[in-house]
Amino acid sequence: MTFENLLIERDEATAVVTINRPKVLNALNSQTLDELRRAILELKQDATVRVVILTGAGDKSFVAGADINELSVQTPTGGREHALAGQHVLDLIENMGKPVIAAINGYALGGGCELAMACTLRLAADTARLGQPEIALGLIPGYAGTQRLPRLVGTGKAMELILTGTPITADEAYRIGLVNRVVPAAALMTEARALAAQLAKNAPIAMRYIINAVNKGVEIPFAEACQYEATLFGLVASTDDMREGTSAFLAKRKPEFKGT
Ligand code: CO8
């Protein structure tokens, strides 16, 4: 995989994807978004990758939003296409079937906050700032921020964040449930890699079904979602990993999951 604006590094079963446009605080232009789309599709297919970490280059910014140079000249139809393309990439991340950890190393604003919200888990450096400042540009969020933010933090907080556009600290983001953990900035990648290594030991098919059950379940009626969960539960019973996990427990040894 060769990319102009992404760095991809492997650490055993973890792939670290770094958005690499530090001169513009890793703003997402169309090319970067498309590179991200291609990278996610390739990492999804690669069975040796069990967990992905997504972060931004440098120590100042995760992603400072969509590239405002492109937004400033967009047309109505182009804007719609751009929003749909971004939503598509974020959907791919959300439904990749492998945990994607956002390591939020600084500003996660606008499209950057939306990107972090599409990830499965979010770790934030204590120096990070998160928000949806589109309103200050006369815009609204366009990468599904109006939808994922209320699902994560509730309608009231989402309205406040999107209508004021004022970014919040990592601690406040943790308090309202926008990030899972806050860690000292210097320890962010170590913590993210440790979490990734922990998850990488899990049964991949079970993780895929958990992500699928949670993501799909919040969109459909509860009773239907429970039926769906039961079907996936039945399906995992057909895996070698289920047999390995249960027999390892009974034999008092550590399981070794193969993803089959
Ligand atoms: N796009 C393009 N360039 C950017 C962006 C951006 N989002 N953010 C920062 N930059 C550039 C700056 O212009 C500057 O460039 P230069 O050095 O050439 O002047 C460089 O990065 C460094 O930035 P600053 O000098 O501004 O750094 P500061 O430390 O002073 O400020 C901030 C940091 C507070 C993060 C500030 O840069 C900022 O406010 N950035 C914009 C944040 C923002 O508004 N993000 C939301 C963008 S809109 C969006 O994301 C919509 C998503 C959905 C789109 C749907 C499709 C239509």
Side-chain angles (χ1 to χ4, degrees), residues 4 7 13 16 26 35 61 72 79 114 116 128 133-134 138 163 168 175 180 186 205 207 226 228:
E4 207 175 304
L7 302 171
V16 182
N26 306 319
E35 289 187 6
S61 182
S72 67
E114 292 171 305
E134 287 90 342
L163 284 173
I168 56 173
R175 200 184 65 76
N180 297 86
I205 296 173
M207 287 203 294
C226 289
Y228 189 68

Side-chain angles (χ1 to χ4, degrees), residues 23-24 27 60 64-68 71 74 82 111 114 134 142-143:
K23 282 190 183 145
V24 287
K60 196 170 166 184
D67 192 312
I68 298 171
L71 295 179
Q74 71 189 346
H82 181 176
E114 292 171 305
E134 287 90 342
Y143 294 162

Side-chain angles (χ1 to χ4, degrees), residues 59-138:
D59 55 10
K60 196 170 166 184
S61 182
F62 173 71
V63 167
D67 192 312
I68 298 171
N69 296 295
E70 287 185 358
L71 295 179
S72 67
V73 294
Q74 71 189 346
T75 61
T77 50
R80 181 171 188 277
E81 292 309 313
H82 181 176
L84 289 173
Q87 290 171 6
H88 172 66
V89 178
L90 269 54
D91 276 348
L92 287 178
I93 292 171
E94 188 172 64
N95 297 304
M96 186 185 185
K98 304 179 185 190
V100 183
I101 301 169
I104 307 170
N105 55 311
Y107 291 114
L109 300 176
C113 188
E114 292 171 305
L115 178 62
M117 287 192 286
C119 294
T120 325
L121 296 168
R122 284 158 289 284
L123 301 194
D126 52 3
T127 50
R129 294 286 180 277
L130 297 92
Q132 297 291 155
E134 287 90 342
I135 191 72
L137 300 166

Side-chain angles (χ1 to χ4, degrees), residues 186-214:
L188 178 66
M189 287 313 288
T190 311
E191 293 276 340
R193 285 174 198 269
L195 176 60
Q198 180 191 348
L199 297 177
K201 290 200 187 94
N202 290 341
I205 296 173
M207 287 203 294
R208 184 158 79 233
Y209 288 173
I210 288 167
I211 293 168
N212 184 229
V214 172

